[in-house]
């Protein structure tokens, strides 16, 4: 099968890291097609950038010419998944939901550790709408931006280990889900140092997507996710070939 | 004071109707500045169109050159309010929250009556995130699109009266909030025929916004709504002068 | 328009402070009619006093002879609003709900800072019934009684600043709502020193009430708030002219 | 032990019926002392009357001269229990909470059947604050006033059976709690005809109160229910000996 | 009346302590029949042991030959109550629900203090399913196993006092419920030293059970708790006479 | 990898059907090892039988001699998963959680269609504890027992289609999850006739389990799911080799 894995920002380095994660999780017969939006911010931290990223990722996905079997939206905190589900007839999986679902299978409660403090509220809202907040012990942040994380993996590792340890000790979490895409290799490090299972959300997204494709499950086309009516859309798509 | 009232779709007729509603609600010293996005769908019904509208309305607002004291985002169901709050230092009020807040002051529980069935889930989610779902008796739809509503006010009036009456009789609502912007004159009709208070959300939005400006209250700038960090944003703004 | 602003305790000094707040918030064409109950406690802190205050304020309101357009019940924590809504056909606004509604328009989550610790539970319950607890970060108290607050504004200012700062730092609040009526001038002080928007609830109550009157919205008369049936009421009203 | 059972309205016939229920439930060594307020409405249906009843019942209780071991507040929907708990150092049990607690011990979910439709919202709010709404299948009303119920037991029996049957069939209730005090003999009738356990709340209140007294448990005196501070209370108590 | 009080583990010493507690709470005409399972763990701390205990207690109860009027399941955290309710036509009361119900009658919020940390999650889940979590301030543990508690009452007393005091000071609890059966004499000690009411759950269970029997209330036999269909059950009952 | 798929009842025909489903979902390198308990009921419908089944399945699993990589507990409604997680160091997946997680990835809300009405409450409770009830539109039953379902697939198909259609039309579900293991071939039939995605929970369980094994994720060993302390367990295991 062919799975598109979409970075939600325009930074190619992050796309590469996401690609690497996805490849590590994918089965032998799965082809991963990584894509990078050409519209939107270099990293997504907050509501304004999230609005742009949602449109950027939709714009990029509908421009894909080859057929694909499923889509993983690889931005933690949720960006455009609902709209894409309306447009596509293949599974669309948000790594936020995928990561947290696997975490729920591994322990009674989980914590998310993410980048900047300003995204904590957004992630909480996302989990609430997904109906996955009931077993959330906490959402913690390391106070570093996505682009800093990308640059200095060693330093970020220490910070994530520290917050993950506090999630376990103070908040009672039994599992940790990384709250950021593209942190290659960090899940293992945190797992080893903190002693609880750590879910890397891009890998989780790829695994759940493969399962949906294998079981021939496609998104619901009635109600909330039904195909949009045809109507004039000014300036759309952003990118014309 | 000068309040910008932003339509969220590109249909000028709807902007005119919203403008009319806003003028009817505004105080004598309030100037209403109506704006229409130049990017996005002709009407907003669903998640995909909502993603586009959020960006379209932000793009239009940041292009305004004259100063203004507050912004009303006049699309029921929520589109871009959070992102705009991050960018502006004046109050940004979403008519969804404004309409439902006033409804809560008038009765123990309220219902929303909106256009197409497909938007019901989105409105429920919006109310949930706003923390205003606790007293929601129901969200009902008339099964007509926004553009149909705009064209045939007489027919839509009958449908809204019918759903509002069922909200009262079956769901126990004591108040009704119209779930669509630009339905000029319908609040009075429904109120007269159904016998419960009916909130028109654009008017509610203007009233609450005037109150915030009068009390010199501005949005919080810490945490979730803090100003975005400076970073590269490809293709932004959409509209360059 | 004429708005009655009802103190809920029998202390005239507090009525004066509330009146001052209300005047500062009211529009140029709004007349504020302050009233003080003749029955009930000198200040309201807890359930027993709250029961008395509800009856005291109702008793005072129904004795008003001149017509009025709306009523603001100026006791934080809720006292008699529901009963008054049943009796009157004009809007009745509780400053608890008004203050917190405006707070919700300004940030993702809010905290209340109130007087004595013993009222915290009551305020939480009030917010829960109002359906406004979903975005409440915390309810904090300064451990001083209402009458102490009234006497020593300087000292109370320091305490409220301290608790408000902790609400922001520890509980993640983005906005603070003062949890007590009649703290003239304190909202500005706290706002300046803590750096988040601070809502003064009497002002909020007046603003929302003006909006309801301007929009000609009146309370629902079906279901929970319908007019009581005629029946014998022993000893009522307390005050006969 | 001596248990005061307080009617919350001024109708002696209802006090007699409540007394009869209480005697049927009390143990051989329990003395029941029935009291009737001298202030307040002839029956309590709605918020205004509820405010008055709370004060009427407190006024009556603090005038009792003989010692007593506990108090049952026999008005369904809650009236003054919190305030009385602050004033007394013996257990104060509201029949709403007592009835519903026993119902929860007998089935997975319960329904309440009450008098007028207008009280449904108030009962729901009461259950919510009591933290007992989680297993509530529905609150239904027969559309008859408390005074009608008192007069025509045969007719009311049929109506309650009908609503109870619908609570079971449509709402999935496994147990029914009568939502009104003083319906002597009706619990048995409904139980026989509907085939589910039916809790009579005055009996439940007496039973739970005896248990608390037997176990020497007294209400908490810290936080929300601590003794009120001494202060001036104008016009209080209403009844002076 | 005759009430069976079932220990859920196989340790006779704990059965004796439970018996002593039950006798202290029972009325003069109540006969307590203590039973000990012959299958299952020596103490129950966690899910695996809870599964075994549920079956052990059911197995023991259905082997009782003499008639009885009610059953108290004396294991905090819930073990087999639902299944036993399906099998018996007399009241079956779990001490978890009984203890917490009485706690809710005594204060606005309560905390549970239990043995090992590993049972905290299970107790929280139990309270959630019972619909009794709404007023739970916290569930705290002393970090000692049930068998240690049994051996060293003096030391455990100090630990429970310490956690109970923190429940009051930090978590805002107004009442404490002991989260373990068979801690004879500890409720009084904690009550004296911490200054809030302390509920001993076995006593609570006996009191509520007596009330149900006195009021001739039996469990619902429709829906969730209806009698199981006859079918083959391999290896059951475990104990054959 | 080798995945054990455990039937929770003693009926070999159902084990065979579950095996068939599991094989259809498993990847080419996955070996499915089906097991049938030797203790417990022939089918599991209700709490009593659920208690027995939990012990029966644990007893069977710990007797397995060959190594395995993960366990799927194939009884809808949850039986023993938590206890097994404490005992094993490989992933243990309950098909209830697995089925509903996949359903949540496919639509905004889902319904479960199960066998007998008596199991509806239990399934709701299970979903609540799993934190997966937030997006549940309804749990419906066809009123047929598990053993009837097994015998008459054609008739059951019609009933499930009927309930699934009502879940979509009346309850607003966008996805259906079958609430019973071993209904071979029914997911496709319901999907075709009702027009929404239908999740077969055994297949979902196998898919998620494979993902967990592929990602080398193992259950949390701290807190709720930590390994039980060593202690005497009378009569255990039930089955000795």
């Amino acid at each position: 099968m062919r799975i598109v894995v979409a970075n939600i920002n325009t930074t190619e380095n992050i796309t590469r890291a996401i690609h690497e994660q996805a490849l590590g999780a994918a089965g032998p017969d799965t082809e991963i097609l990584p894509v990078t939006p050409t519209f939107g911010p270099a990293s997504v931290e907050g509501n304004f950038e999230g609005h742009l990223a949602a449109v950027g990722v939709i714009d990029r996905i509908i421009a894909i010419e080859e057929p694909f079997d499923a889509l993983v939206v690889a931005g933690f905190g949720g960006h455009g998944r609902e709209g894409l589900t309306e447009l596509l007839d293949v599974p669309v999986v948000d790594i936020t939901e995928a990561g947290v679902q696997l975490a729920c299978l591994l322990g009674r409660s989980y914590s998310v550790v993410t980048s900047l403090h300003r995204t904590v509220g957004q992630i909480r809202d996302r989990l609430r709408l997904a109906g996955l907040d009931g077993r959330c012990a906490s959402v913690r942040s390391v106070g570093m931006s996505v682009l800093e994380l990308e640059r200095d993996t060693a330093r970020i590792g220490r910070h994530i280990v520290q917050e993950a340890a506090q999630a376990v000790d103070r908040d009672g979490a039994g599992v940790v889900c990384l709250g950021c895409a593209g942190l290659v290799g960090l899940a293992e490090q945190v797992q080893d140092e903190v002693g609880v299972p750590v879910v890397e959300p891009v890998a989780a997204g790829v695994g759940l997507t493969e399962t949906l494709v294998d079981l021939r499950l496609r998104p619901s086309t009635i109600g909330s996710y039904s195909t949009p009516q045809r109507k004039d859309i000014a300036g759309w798509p952003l990118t014309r070939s």
Side-chain angles (χ1 to χ4, degrees), chain A:
Chain A
M1 74 183 80
R2 180 188 290 143
I3 298 179
V4 174
V5 176
N7 185 7
I8 56 152
N9 59 49
T10 56
T11 302
E12 294 281 0
N13 274 348
I14 296 182
T15 308
R16 271 190 288 275
I18 290 169
H19 191 189
E20 188 180 331
Q21 287 284 14
L23 284 175
D29 299 331
T30 300
E31 175 194 350
I32 299 293
L33 182 63
V35 299
T36 312
T38 58
F39 171 80
S43 64
V44 180
E45 292 151 330
N47 293 286
F48 163 61
E49 293 166 3
H51 294 310
L52 299 183
V55 168
V57 77
I58 297 173
D59 177 68
R60 181 67 190 83
I61 295 303
I62 61 175
I64 295 174
E65 293 185 350
E66 53 267 69
F68 54 92
D69 299 292
L71 169 64
V72 174
V73 183
F76 205 88
H79 307 85
R81 198 264 295 154
E82 290 90 344
L84 282 159
T85 306
E86 291 177 8
L87 296 179
L88 303 179
D89 64 352
V90 298
V92 181
V93 171
D94 173 346
I95 62 167
T96 325
E97 296 170 52
V100 165
Q101 282 192 348
L102 291 196
C104 285
L105 294 176
L106 298 169
R108 189 178 166 277
S109 67
Y110 68 89
S111 288
V112 170
V113 180
T114 188
S115 56
L116 285 185
H117 180 64
R118 64 175 301 152
T119 65
V120 169
Q122 236 178 318
I123 290 173
R124 284 197 166 283
D125 283 355
R126 188 74 193 170
L127 295 175
R128 198 175 191 185
L129 284 193
L132 291 167
D133 55 334
R135 289 162 72 189
C136 180
S138 59
V139 179
R140 286 176 167 267
S141 62
V142 294
M144 293 172 73
S145 74
V146 170
L147 297 177
E148 286 176 294
L149 297 186
E150 198 56 28
R151 271 194 300 269
D152 188 352
T153 326
R155 194 173 135 225
I156 181 63
R158 285 198 310 277
H159 281 79
I160 291 186
V161 164
Q162 197 171 2
E163 290 298 321
Q166 296 206 350
V168 172
D169 293 343
R170 298 195 188 169
D171 310 331
V175 187
V176 166
C177 179
L178 296 182
C180 198
L183 301 174
V184 179
L186 275 177
E188 289 73 14
Q189 181 188 347
V190 179
Q191 193 160 302
D192 289 349
E193 298 191 24
V194 182
V196 296
V198 176
V199 179
E200 197 287 323
V202 174
V206 169
L208 285 177
T209 303
E210 286 179 323
T211 295
L212 292 173
V213 173
D214 281 338
L215 299 180
R216 291 195 197 82
L217 288 165
R218 286 161 181 270
S220 182
T221 57
I222 67 158
S224 296
Y225 297 155
S226 53
T227 310
Q229 297 182 330
R230 289 200 159 271
K231 66 181 68 162
D232 289 337
I233 305 181
W236 184 255
L238 297 169
T239 317
R240 287 166 210 270
S241 46

